[in-house]
Amino acid sequence: MAAGAGIGVACLAAVLTIPTILGAHDARTAARDPRPAEHSSFAYQELLDPYGSRPLQRVFLARTGPGTAPHPPGLTTLPGPGEAVVSPALHQLLKEHPDTAGLVPGRVTGLVAPEGLGGPDDLYAYIGTTPDRLSEPSPLDRFGSKTAGEVIDPDTLNILRFTLGCIVLLPLAVFLSVCARLSGESRARRLAALRLVGLSIKDTVRVNAAESVAAAGLGAVLGLVGYLGVNEIMARVGLPGLHWYPADGRPEWSTVAVCLVGCPALAWAVGLFSARRAALSPISVRRTSDRRPPRKAGTLLLVPGMGVILGYCSMSALGRDPSGGSANSLLVPGAVLLTGVGLVFGLPPITAWLARRLAGVTKSLTVTLAMRRTEVDPGSSLRVVTGLVLLVFGASLTQGVLIELDQVSRRTAPLQEYVIGLDDLTAAQQRQVKQLPDVRAHFVSYDSWSPPGDAYGESTELVVGTCEQLAATVISMRGCVDGRIMRLRDEDTPYTEDAQPGDRFPFALNDGRTVSLTVPEAQVVMRAHQPSVLRSGALFVPPSLVPAGLASRAATLTLVSGSDAGTVRTMLDGVGAVVPTAAVEPVGIVVQALAQLTVIRGLLVVGMVLGLVVGVAAFVVSVADRGLERRGQVAALGLLGARAGTLRGVQVVQVVVPLGVGLGGAVVAGWLAEASYLITGGGAVHWDWAGLPVLVGSAVGVLVVAGVASVPMVRRHVDPEHIRRD
């Protein structure tokens, strides 16, 4: 009980502290946010750019008149012109990569203290300058706001909390209940003896509850100490996209109270319940007797839960879109919780019914013995499998959350484009970025020249590339001929918006002159992924026919890669390694959203690991306890002549059959629950067919491992004491 409570409380503290870590990060980033004013003696300009796949934030400060300067947290004085104060992570980056010095103009005179940073990995800088160097200055009033710098937006954070509750807290409550109940059952014979010698029912129950509370209290203290040690290590290692200071991860007093009071309180409640049989009917404990059949009321929880889930799935199958309603935010989480709880309480009667049917039709001695035992006491087997069943159910929900967040944080097209100003690249750097491993195609685009002040004149683009590169970028195309200047025609764009054949457009040259090109009759009919740099009406020019000396200031280089999150991060990091000072625009996505998705993935992985720890711990505790509980029966069967292989087979079947039923229900219910979540989310993906084989494979793997792990728990040693007691 103490060991189980320690593991459970450590996991509980980790889950409850995640919002604290995020809140501390958000509070510090909000406190440094510069706020404008009508008049001030200081001006500022804030720039937020990607450095690879990480956000780089720079605040340029310039004095415009006499007066007292406001100080952001983490700084004692503002940097003067030619000076800079940077975060430790950015300072280390500047030391390791001298070619990134252009990111922070000026001399580094200090480091930002931790109270001015969201986390140890922040890339942040305050740069002193003069007013004439600020392109868009704003008067500086103060530092600090209430909403800036959220590492995860509130709506997504609510989804994260619910998911972590399903994959960690629900199995955790079951695990702690199992530990308390098994602890009570191991004392059942002694409690029954106390009852028989005259102890009252109330005192017998209190003895059991008090012993459970003592063990749970000791475990809670050990769990908190263990979590504090793990936090000190993890804070230095960090998660993908999220690093925190050790103080951020230390639990608040409310979390400590929940752990130190909640766990013993749960043990007290379960202890009162688990001792009732020994207190009310001590003879049935001291001498083996039939147990009550499991109640079927728990199965009814599946009816409303699965009813709502199947309703949403049916609407999607019929072509209707139920997303967008305010009721979805209550119905779907409620249905998921009811289904999860229904899986726990509905499995005993279902397993007892199935065991009775199997025992009646099988001719195998092993299966008969296993099923009769499961029929009489299905709860003992289900204590073994409940944690693993909930783990698989939670894994399906996690897949749905990741799919939904992935849809809203990136473009749905299978390709991703990156635009870089050609002026920011040397010839060598152009060759290097084009040769990055994930680059599928690349283009150079030139904007046509317009007279100064003519912001609304007709314009077009000149796109330099080959038919092979074009085919690798668009959905479909026809009519492309290498070696000819052609006009791009997108089938999804109205024809009236295109440049017409015969129109002439000037393009600027490096020497200040212009060269005019005529829109040809020949066209390439295509369908491009939207948004895209390939626009209808643009001139598609092969490299051999590009006019010499086109001005690079009006040109951009476009790289094309796959659109999955890992590839996008690899591409951004690759470009950042080649040319760290260039501004890279990933078409259709925001780097901050990509960073948020990375953080959420890391936190969900932590949740899955904690859920796995809880599930495995519950399995180990339950299997070990059942091995001890069945020693008398195993000894009796061995005395009657049962072989060792038969006894081990009985043990495996007793675990595998209930676990198979539970995992089958978890896979089906979890996949449908995931589908209902995706359907109400309004994304393009409603049915996660790609994740279903992974879910089934995980369930089969859990089933095999659990069966193998059950074998060593059976011994054929005949102990006369066990025979006498039984």
Side-chain angles (χ1 to χ4, degrees), residues 14 20 37 65 152 159 166 197 202 458 477 543 587 618 631 666 719:
T20 304
I152 299 178
I159 296 173
C166 289
V197 298
K202 184 181 294 185
E458 292 186 357
M477 74 167 193
V587 178
R631 286 181 302 179
D719 191 335

Side-chain angles (χ1 to χ4, degrees), residues 563-630:
S563 63
D564 61 279
T567 302
V568 172
R569 283 193 295 271
T570 302
M571 279 291 300
L572 290 172
D573 289 337
V575 174
V578 174
V579 51
T581 57
V584 184
E585 179 191 352
V587 178
I589 64 172
V590 181
V591 173
Q592 286 77 10
L594 190 66
Q596 175 176 285
L597 180 61
T598 303
V599 173
I600 294 171
R601 284 182 183 275
L603 293 177
L604 288 179
V605 168
V606 170
M608 288 300 297
V609 170
L610 294 177
L612 181 62
V613 169
V614 170
V616 171
F619 174 78
V620 171
V621 169
S622 301
V623 168
D625 185 84
R626 286 194 72 247
L628 296 175
E629 177 190 359
R630 294 183 64 248

